[in-house]
Amino acid sequence: MIKAGSVYGTQLLWVLFLSAFFAWILMEAYGRFAVVTGETAIYSFRKYLKWGKFWAILTIIGVVLGQWSALSGILGLTSGALYEVMRLFIPGLRESNYWAVLGIAITLIVIMYALLLVGKYSFFEKVLIVFVTIMGLSFILSMFIVLPDPKEIAAGFIPTIPVGGELLIAAFVGTTMAAPTFIVRPLIIKEKQWGKKEMKVQSRDALTAALLMFLISASIMIAATGALFHEGKGVTKVLDMVQALEPVAGKIAISIFMVGAMSAGLSSVFPILMVLPLLIGDYRKGKMETKSRMFRILAGIACIVGLLVPLMGANPIVAQIATQVASVFILPVVIGGIILLINRKDLLGNHRAGWILNTILVIALIFSLVISYNGILGLMDLFGNNFKL
């Protein structure tokens, strides 16, 4: 969102809106399936779909590859952001310091892993609430400090695709229409012990989540537009955010902005570490397993994978955008799976999807296929390939 706001202003707000809208529909569909049937997603893929084992395993592989690749970019970005905040208040620090950033990354991942060892979902939820609240308040406050013209914000809802914007569009969708959000939702609902009586509660929960997702993401893009785009300064590395924002917003405001960036990263690292053991637990037993030896081992492996970008000293901005696109490619499978499940009368009875929900789900499926194609084009361009599909 920061990269998009700095390069294209608010031109891609419409993509963000569509992604949040389809995310709401998918959370509603997966949530309805969970409260009515009491079943989870991966377990139901395996049990009820034709070629179910293949479908379930493909989903696990696709989700985990996308999330683990994104994890490394996120950790590199978060540790880099923390180092730049330190430089704001300790001017003697060097502009770039590989070992300091790597040390921060290792410290962060060790803390995250230690928190995971608590092993209770209610605790995980409290930790995430703290990170997301800090993130949301930081970016919303930053947005009002450097608020651009409201007409410019409104114009962002008119569909346009800027030249070279394909990769960012795919990264947008990979972030807001994140496949694990929908796949893991039935596990969370089962952990909360929601049933048919909580049908309205889960629907309200899905809508609230989508609205907050859009509000926070839009505030990030708008803040970057006001502080960076109008200064003609795009973001290609973490340091650019500090150099471009400080003259406009001052040290306190840039600190708030960067704290939001760090909280965004940490709120993503925490659930990504859990994703593989959660999905394997779903496949095997259809329930969340957070205290097993397998959970600790697989989360530990994810921690090691997460250190790849900091270890290589790669540019975390580029790595984050490129790796986030990987999450898009499994999205059509995840949408197709719920379309098949939500229409099973033997499972949902009168609660199965009506024509409105089915129509929007099909449109979401088409949207995901188009975005996946755009993601391929964007990655080809990023890596300098000149051939076309």
Side-chain angles (χ1 to χ4, degrees):
M1 302 303 161
I2 295 170
K3 173 74 173 179
S6 71
V7 177
Y8 302 117
T10 60
Q11 286 185 68
L12 296 178
L13 268 175
W14 67 275
V15 180
L16 176 59
F17 175 79
L18 278 180
S19 298
F21 174 75
F22 288 133
W24 165 45
I25 297 301
L26 286 162
M27 283 189 282
E28 165 63 28
Y30 272 96
R32 181 191 299 190
F33 180 82
V35 295
V36 173
T37 66
E39 302 274 23
T40 55
I42 298 296
Y43 184 79
S44 295
F45 283 4
R46 180 169 71 89
K47 185 176 180 181
Y48 299 116
L49 297 184
K50 190 174 183 180
W51 302 304
K53 287 185 178 181
F54 172 78
W55 200 301
I57 292 171
L58 177 64
T59 302
I60 292 173
I61 292 172
V63 168
V64 172
L65 285 179
Q67 291 299 290
W68 276 16
S69 61
L71 173 62
S72 194
I74 290 168
L75 189 59
L77 187 60
T78 305
S79 54
L82 183 54
Y83 181 73
E84 295 305 332
V85 170
M86 292 168 60
R87 286 188 67 243
L88 278 176
F89 299 97
I90 310 175
L93 292 177
R94 296 204 313 260
E95 182 175 306
S96 60
N97 191 322
Y98 169 82
W99 292 108
V101 173
L102 178 59
I104 292 170
I106 293 172
T107 302
L108 288 176
I109 204 70
V110 168
I111 292 172
M112 292 292 103
Y113 184 70
L115 291 174
L116 282 179
L117 296 182
V118 173
K120 292 182 179 179
Y121 174 74
S122 58
F123 175 75
F124 302 156
E125 194 172 57
K126 289 181 176 67
V127 172
L128 286 172
I129 287 171
V130 170
F131 286 141
V132 173
T133 301
I134 294 171
M135 173 182 66
L137 293 176
S138 298
F139 283 127
I140 291 170
L141 180 58
S142 299
M143 176 184 69
F144 282 110
I145 292 172
V146 293
L147 191 66
D149 189 332
K151 291 181 181 178
E152 184 179 4
I153 298 173
F157 291 94
I158 300 172
T160 57
I161 300 178
V163 177
E166 292 87 356
L167 191 67
L168 273 175
I169 289 174
F172 266 30
V173 178
T175 304
T176 48
M177 283 181 71
T181 302
F182 321 124
I183 289 294
V184 175
R185 183 169 176 78
L187 273 175
I188 295 172
I189 286 175
K190 190 171 184 178
E191 186 73 11
K192 288 176 174 291
Q193 298 181 336
W194 287 359
K196 289 182 182 179
K197 293 180 180 179
E198 285 76 27
M199 180 82 76
K200 290 184 179 179
V201 175
Q202 89 79 20
S203 293
R204 186 170 61 248
D205 179 77
L207 178 59
T208 303
L211 286 173
L212 287 172
M213 184 190 303
F214 175 75
L215 176 63
I216 294 172
S217 299
S219 70
I220 299 169
M221 192 193 302
I222 292 168
T225 299
L228 301 169
F229 179 70
H230 292 299
E231 297 295 312
K233 297 177 179 178
V235 172
T236 57
K237 55 184 184 295
V238 177
L239 180 61
D240 292 339
M241 292 190 283
V242 177
Q243 290 178 333
L245 277 169
E246 189 175 0
V248 179
K251 285 189 176 182
I252 298 300
I254 183 59
S255 296
I256 294 170
F257 189 84
M258 296 299 277
V259 166
M262 288 185 294
S263 298
L266 295 175
S267 67
S268 299
V269 168
F270 203 58
I272 290 175
L273 295 179
M274 298 189 290
V275 70
L276 179 56
L278 288 184
L279 294 185
I280 290 178
D282 189 348
Y283 180 88
R284 292 168 57 195
K285 300 180 181 178
K287 67 177 184 178
M288 185 180 292
E289 296 179 320
T290 59
K291 295 183 178 180
S292 67
R293 185 168 177 264
M294 178 195 71
F295 182 91
R296 295 192 297 271
I297 292 173
L298 294 178
I301 294 172
C303 290
I304 295 170
V305 172
L307 287 170
L308 289 178
V309 166
L311 278 169
M312 293 186 297
N315 185 327
I317 299 286
V318 176
Q320 172 59 14
I321 293 170
T323 55
Q324 197 64 62
V325 174
S327 299
V328 171
F329 302 122
I330 195 60
L331 193 55
V333 175
V334 171
I335 298 173
I338 194 60
I339 289 174
L340 295 174
L341 289 175
I342 200 76
N343 283 284
R344 290 281 295 262
K345 188 174 183 179
D346 58 325
L347 296 176
L348 288 102
N350 294 329
H351 295 289
R352 64 178 176 168
W355 70 268
I356 296 177
L357 179 57
N358 275 317
T359 299
I360 300 175
L361 285 172
V362 170
I363 295 172
L365 177 60
I366 296 170
F367 179 73
S368 70
L369 290 169
V370 171
I371 294 299
S372 296
Y373 176 72
N374 272 333
I376 293 170
L377 294 181
L379 288 174
M380 286 165 54
D381 183 61
L382 178 68
F383 293 112
N385 293 319
N386 294 318
F387 64 93
K388 295 183 179 180
L389 293 178

